[in-house]
Amino acid sequence: MGLPKQVRLVDVGPRDGLQNEPGVIETAVKLELIDRLGAAGVRHIEAASFVSPRWVPQMGDAAEVMAGIERRPGVVYAALTPNLKGFEGAREARVDEVAVFTAASEEFTRKNINCSIAESLERFAPVIEGAKAAGIRVRGYVSTVLGCPYAGDIEPAQVAAVSRELLDMGCYEVSLGDTIGVGTPLKAKQMLEAVAKAVPVAQLAAHFHDTYGQALANLYAVLEEGLAVIDSSVAGLGGCPYARGASGNVASEDVVYLLHGLGIDTGIDLQRLVDTGHWIAGRLGRSTGSKVGLALGCS
Ligand code: HMG
Ligand code: MG
């Protein structure tokens, strides 16, 4: 396929990046993070998650976050919705896009959303129907595509089957999550090749966590297969509360540096993104998890 000319970066920092933070993060801080990402040129921001606040307390202010965003033209503000209750909250909060999420592993799905893969898809049907009626696009996530903390190795054919199902149900795009960051480039390439037989690469995104420091290499492997949508998190924030050992998403700054170095356009101002990474890391009382952020420093 060869490398794409342009990549759409989806910054999931305000959601995936913050959902696992133990301390209370004020809504105002989340809003400033979202605003700074938009100002840096990020055009797709996963801003919140309409899940049970008992399961993920940090996302309990999703409605306030969505209501407080000063919307920038051309920016998509998305939120996770695991079921109809979540979707209704998201629709009332005027999200631009919702995401349903399941996994390639039964064990992980059970821990994460308390049901089987088949039951999760049943729950998504009315969400997708409601979204269609409201003119809201639906993204689908498949977690544990390169390994599961509970089940171990995952068959690429299983990833392909769940991805195809999400697409058939009405998702416009499926994001492939290496939830615990265990993948290596050869595995990532083989997984993508298998999934691409069932779903066009143009409708796939890569969502790689960087637990083992392999995410950039894995991204390069799937970019070579023509994949052109990448999820990442500013400052490398993040982790899934239901995936033992999962650390942050690959840092957006590192991805943008890689892409620009390959001559791939992102529309993002790298230095502004780096500044945003330092700012949010400072608010959380630590230094940035982005190597590029450390190298470039604040402007
Ligand atoms: P459940 O307990 O089976 O749900 O949880 P339930 O339908 O039996 O409801 C139980 C209670 O939750 C009820 O309240 C509901 O009203 C309430 P009660 O009557 O007991 O007071 N409830 C809700 N409240 C607010 N919003 C909702 C909602 N739904 C039910 N949407 C459920 C099922 C899915 C709700 C739960 O398991 C949950 O919220 N899980 C969220 C898990 C999560 O957010 N995980 C992290 C995100 S996924 C991720 O990080 C991976 C990803 O990044 C990709 C990757 O890296 O691979 C996307
Ligand atoms: Mg994730």
Side-chain angles (χ1 to χ4, degrees), residues 240-263:
C240 177
Y242 302 102
R244 184 167 31 87
S247 72
N249 293 88
V250 63
S252 303
E253 302 90 313
D254 299 2
V255 174
V256 169
Y257 183 85
L258 171 74
L259 294 173
H260 290 181
L262 291 168

Side-chain angles (χ1 to χ4, degrees), residues 42-55:
V42 180
R43 290 284 161 270
H44 200 145
I45 302 172
E46 201 167 78
S49 184
F50 289 81
V51 294
S52 160
R54 267 203 271 148
W55 283 63

Side-chain angles (χ1 to χ4, degrees), residues 12 15-16 19 46 49-56 59 80-87 101-102 108 110-115 123 141-145 175-180 207 209 239-242 249:
V12 297
R15 193 279 303 172
D16 207 343
Q19 71 182 7
E46 201 167 78
S49 184
F50 289 81
V51 294
S52 160
R54 267 203 271 148
W55 283 63
V56 185
M59 294 287 111
L80 292 193
T81 54
N83 53 20
L84 197 54
K85 185 176 170 80
F87 172 70
F101 53 105
T102 186
F108 180 78
R110 180 69 59 192
K111 294 264 195 239
N112 194 37
I113 49 175
N114 204 22
C115 62
R123 285 181 191 175
Y141 273 109
V142 181
S143 284
T144 63
V145 300
S175 180
L176 302 167
D178 183 9
T179 317
I180 52 169
H207 177 110
H209 286 254
C240 177
Y242 302 102
N249 293 88

Side-chain angles (χ1 to χ4, degrees), residues 247-296:
S247 72
N249 293 88
V250 63
S252 303
E253 302 90 313
D254 299 2
V255 174
V256 169
Y257 183 85
L258 171 74
L259 294 173
H260 290 181
L262 291 168
I264 298 172
D265 179 35
T266 64
I268 292 170
D269 179 331
L270 178 59
Q271 187 61 56
R272 285 189 90 163
L273 190 62
V274 163
D275 289 347
T276 302
H278 284 294
W279 172 81
I280 187 64
R283 294 307 302 249
L284 298 173
R286 65 176 81 120
S287 61
T288 179
S290 160
K291 290 254 189 192
V292 169
L294 285 174
L296 291 179

Side-chain angles (χ1 to χ4, degrees), residues 141-288:
Y141 273 109
V142 181
S143 284
T144 63
V145 300
L146 293 172
C148 169
Y150 310 104
D153 285 345
I154 296 292
E155 280 299 321
Q158 170 68 359
V159 182
V162 180
S163 301
R164 182 67 239 175
E165 193 91 39
L166 286 170
L167 213 72
D168 288 343
M169 290 178 72
C171 293
Y172 77 93
E173 178 171 288
V174 175
S175 180
L176 302 167
D178 183 9
T179 317
I180 52 169
V182 287
T184 49
L186 183 59
K187 273 181 99 176
K189 177 180 150 69
Q190 287 169 343
M191 181 276 295
L192 192 75
E193 279 172 354
V195 178
K197 287 189 185 131
V199 174
V201 176
Q203 287 177 285
L204 292 171
H207 177 110
F208 294 165
H209 286 254
D210 200 27
T211 317
Y212 287 78
Q214 305 293 303
L216 282 181
N218 296 343
L219 284 175
Y220 189 72
V222 296
L223 283 166
E224 282 193 313
E225 301 293 315
L227 184 134
V229 184
I230 295 177
D231 299 357
S232 59
S233 174
V234 69
L237 301 172
C240 177
Y242 302 102
R244 184 167 31 87
S247 72
N249 293 88
V250 63
S252 303
E253 302 90 313
D254 299 2
V255 174
V256 169
Y257 183 85
L258 171 74
L259 294 173
H260 290 181
L262 291 168
I264 298 172
D265 179 35
T266 64
I268 292 170
D269 179 331
L270 178 59
Q271 187 61 56
R272 285 189 90 163
L273 190 62
V274 163
D275 289 347
T276 302
H278 284 294
W279 172 81
I280 187 64
R283 294 307 302 249
L284 298 173
R286 65 176 81 120
S287 61
T288 179

